[in-house]
DNA sequence: GTCTATAAGGGGATAGAC
DNA sequence: GTCTATCCCCTTATAGAC
């Protein structure tokens, strides 16, 4: 942290993308401001906009990165055949992604913007990319793939709702079910 | 439509809530403007705000109504025992709700706002209300209830992404899986 | 590469007339 | 019950200095 002043462009881009992922994940596309992202990245608002051209372009880049991270995680899980069924391995890979809150939450928001002329197509493409991956590369049937995505959407929702921070016993029961009994990834999250 | 001028307060509230449900469903809380809602309801922006006090209060009311509609639909489905298993009946009741696009989509957005101090609690309460209903009143096990909600979240996502309007064959396959093979409710939607 | 200053527009909320 | 007018803050984006 706090290197400040004069990073190479590529590194600066990465640090802005990381900050934007968190802020977009928490507030959504419309709810987030470029100033909040700038503050999180430790730079000025104007520089955020200048670096990516527009807030929209930044969001699209964040979203594309997030899809790429999921795809990479799933491909690793598919290759790393440890004897367990592939959907188990995929599920665990997905739970591992919870550690970087921004990824899953930014995607949740992306998928809610299908009506937007610019962002909608990115969301559809991203969602179908993941569907095809688990169907074609992991070899799940359409039905299995659909169930798998459904469980993923539930995890996203539980995460977005902060249900894992609730003290309600029903919330705990639900979160436990959603993650297949392995609460460790949720527990590891800093409450925020 | 177009009765205009001097509705009784109660009716006016309803017409604003109906318009707001559609607009919030399409654009989300932050993305929607009170002016868009006003236009959809055929009245002035100032009147929308005045009637509900604030945009936030209006959204909360829309969200609470949506949860209420789901709960009512599920209770009907539970009572109307036609011999089919209860989760079948619940699934069909949920698909019927697609006809009123605003309900499911407003809730999708509600559930994405868990970080918001005012809206977050409403979302958690609403989600748990539905969970308890399908578990306690329909008698599903925690695992069954969780799977049921997961399928619901996938339907919401597919709807928000407008995947049912896509010409991609994979999109069609996925939508078909998501709705258990009964595409009729998606087909009945006006493309928007 | 990064900042400060600021333009330009949008949006929620209020006041007051009808 | 409903509108018009308007205030003022917030936000994105641009210009130009360093």
């Amino acid at each position: 942290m706090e290197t400040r002043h004069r990073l190479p462009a590529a590194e600066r881009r990465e640090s802005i993308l990381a900050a934007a992922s968190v802020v977009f994940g928490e507030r959504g596309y419309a709810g987030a401001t470029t100033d909040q992202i700038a503050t999180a990245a430790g730079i000025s608002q104007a520089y955020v906009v200048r670096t990516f051209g527009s807030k929209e372009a930044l969001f699209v880049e964040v979203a594309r990165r997030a899809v790429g991270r999921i795809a990479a995680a799933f491909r690793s899980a598919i290759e790393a055949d440890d004897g367990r069924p592939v959907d188990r391995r995929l599920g665990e890979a997905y739970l591992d992604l919870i550690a970087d809150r921004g990824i899953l939450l930014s995607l949740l928001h992306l998928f809610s913007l299908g009506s937007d002329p610019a962002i909608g197509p990115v969301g559809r493409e991203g969602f179908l990319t993941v569907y095809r991956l688990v169907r074609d590369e992991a070899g799940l049937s359409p039905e299995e793939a659909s169930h798998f995505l459904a469980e993923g959407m539930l995890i996203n929702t539980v995460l977005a709702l902060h249900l894992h921070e609730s003290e309600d016993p029903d919330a705990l029961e639900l979160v436990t079910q959603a993650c297949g009994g392995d609460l460790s990834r949720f527990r590891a999250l800093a409450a925020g």
Side-chain angles (χ1 to χ4, degrees), chain A residues 4-155:
Chain A
R4 299 307 300 279
H5 260 347
R6 297 209 160 258
L7 284 194
E11 280 181 44
R12 186 55 87 188
R13 277 183 71 92
E14 294 304 321
S15 80
I16 296 173
L17 284 166
S21 175
V22 173
V23 176
F24 281 135
E26 249 168 41
R27 316 237 188 187
Y29 172 62
T33 70
T34 53
D35 192 56
Q36 290 162 349
I37 294 166
T39 301
I43 58 175
S44 72
Q45 181 268 333
Y47 192 26
V48 169
V49 173
R50 163 161 292 218
T51 304
F52 290 88
S54 68
K55 179 187 176 183
E56 186 178 270
L58 172 57
F59 182 73
V60 167
E61 180 72 13
V62 166
R64 289 223 165 92
R65 293 283 188 111
V67 172
R69 297 276 235 102
I70 288 193
F74 283 176
R75 291 204 170 97
S76 290
I78 292 168
E79 283 174 25
D81 189 343
D82 58 2
R84 290 181 305 166
V86 70
D87 60 318
R88 277 276 181 195
R89 278 139 51 204
L90 288 173
E92 188 167 310
Y94 196 75
L95 287 172
D96 284 340
L97 291 170
I98 290 177
D100 188 342
R101 285 171 74 59
I103 297 177
L104 267 30
L105 294 180
S106 288
L107 286 178
L108 175 72
H109 289 291
L110 172 70
F111 297 153
S112 78
L113 297 177
S115 297
D116 186 283
I119 298 175
V122 178
R124 287 185 280 279
E125 184 191 313
F127 201 77
L128 288 178
T129 294
V130 176
Y131 177 63
R132 292 189 190 106
L133 199 162
V134 298
R135 188 193 57 183
D136 301 338
E137 298 186 38
L140 300 190
S141 69
E143 186 174 355
E144 290 168 333
S146 167
H147 285 327
F148 180 74
L149 293 188
E151 300 295 339
M153 295 306 103
L154 179 61
I155 289 170

Side-chain angles (χ1 to χ4, degrees), chain A residues 160-181:
Chain A
L161 275 175
H162 294 241
L163 237 36
H164 56 288
E165 296 164 16
S166 168
E167 297 184 1
D168 186 303
D170 294 327
L172 176 62
E173 180 182 279
L174 176 51
V175 175
T176 304
Q177 287 296 331
C179 63

